[in-house]
Amino acid sequence: MVSFKNHRVSVFPTAEVRLPMVGVIRFLDPEKQVAGLVSSELKLSQTALGSGWNRIFNGDVYLKNYEVKAKVRWVETGTTASYPKYGISPAYKDSNNIVSVWLDKNNSVLATNAVIGGINQGWQNSSLSGFDFSVYHELKVIKSGTSFEFYLDGILQQTRTFDITNGQIGLLTEDTEADFDNVTLTVQ
């Protein structure tokens, strides 16, 4: 059983888990709002700008095969980071073990990256010419063992392999205000 705030969901093979956003925000005190975060039951807006990654993670997915997806939308870009961006993490153990997929409005790319065992695995970019960042788009990652497939609006953009078997899922921004909605985890 996985529990998020006052919501309880059972996880079975091929089950879909809709993550209530208030429960996903591990650092959010339900009685207060953490600076820079505005939340509702099924939606989160990251309003903090500035350099450094703003990260929100939840749970420890002890599964090898699953799908994580979220609707994401750009709101505003700051002026302090070289590569302002927003996205999701399908696997996070700590800052030395993380996989991420980002949308970068300034460079009009979908970018993936991982740090495994403290070693940066490199960035890989997919061009998004003519892309409208101001509307909601679906970021999806299908994880099968150590293989990660990265989708944007249902279209496969990249496939990469990283030696990370499990971890938390999360929402990410860097010097970007973004909205996140309909975050789901589907067990494969």
Side-chain angles (χ1 to χ4, degrees):
M1 169 102 36
V2 179
S3 177
F4 300 98
K5 198 173 179 250
N6 293 322
H7 304 269
R8 294 191 185 279
V9 292
S10 297
V11 179
F12 300 101
T14 68
E16 183 172 288
V17 179
R18 185 178 173 96
L19 303 177
M21 291 309 303
V22 170
V24 171
I25 303 170
R26 189 171 79 165
F27 308 115
L28 182 65
D29 178 344
E31 303 301 317
K32 302 178 203 165
Q33 177 178 304
V34 173
L37 298 177
V38 178
S39 65
S40 66
E41 184 169 321
L42 296 173
K43 182 176 176 181
L44 171 97
S45 294
Q46 171 54 271
T47 60
L49 298 176
S51 61
W53 290 12
N54 294 299
R55 303 178 283 188
I56 298 168
F57 298 100
N58 189 56
D60 198 358
V61 180
Y62 292 101
L63 307 166
K64 293 186 179 186
N65 306 310
Y66 54 90
E67 170 187 295
V68 177
K69 64 183 175 180
K71 296 281 188 176
V72 298
R73 176 177 62 182
W74 169 86
V75 177
E76 181 180 352
T77 301
T79 59
T80 58
S82 299
Y83 300 99
K85 54 198 169 288
Y86 58 101
I88 62 175
S89 172
Y92 169 85
K93 286 187 177 183
D94 55 39
S95 60
N96 289 315
N97 296 282
I98 180 173
V99 176
S100 57
V101 57
W102 304 84
L103 292 176
D104 178 338
K105 182 179 183 293
N106 287 0
N107 294 294
S108 197
V109 298
L110 175 140
T112 61
N113 179 261
V115 176
I116 306 297
I119 300 170
N120 190 322
Q121 305 297 300
W123 290 88
Q124 185 172 315
N125 296 332
S126 299
S127 179
L128 301 174
S129 60
F131 190 78
D132 184 357
F133 290 85
S134 67
V135 299
Y136 276 102
H137 295 280
E138 183 182 81
L139 280 178
K140 177 172 76 172
V141 181
I142 297 176
K143 181 183 176 308
S144 299
T146 59
S147 175
F148 293 80
E149 294 179 348
F150 300 95
Y151 292 81
L152 179 61
D153 294 330
I155 299 171
L156 179 64
Q157 300 291 316
Q158 298 179 23
T159 300
R160 299 185 70 180
T161 301
F162 302 115
D163 190 20
I164 186 169
T165 55
N166 67 303
Q168 298 175 310
I169 62 170
L171 309 176
L172 312 165
T173 65
E174 181 177 19
D175 201 22
T176 299
E177 183 178 329
D179 291 333
F180 298 86
D181 200 2
N182 296 324
V183 178
T184 59
L185 169 67
T186 304
V187 181
Q188 303 289 321

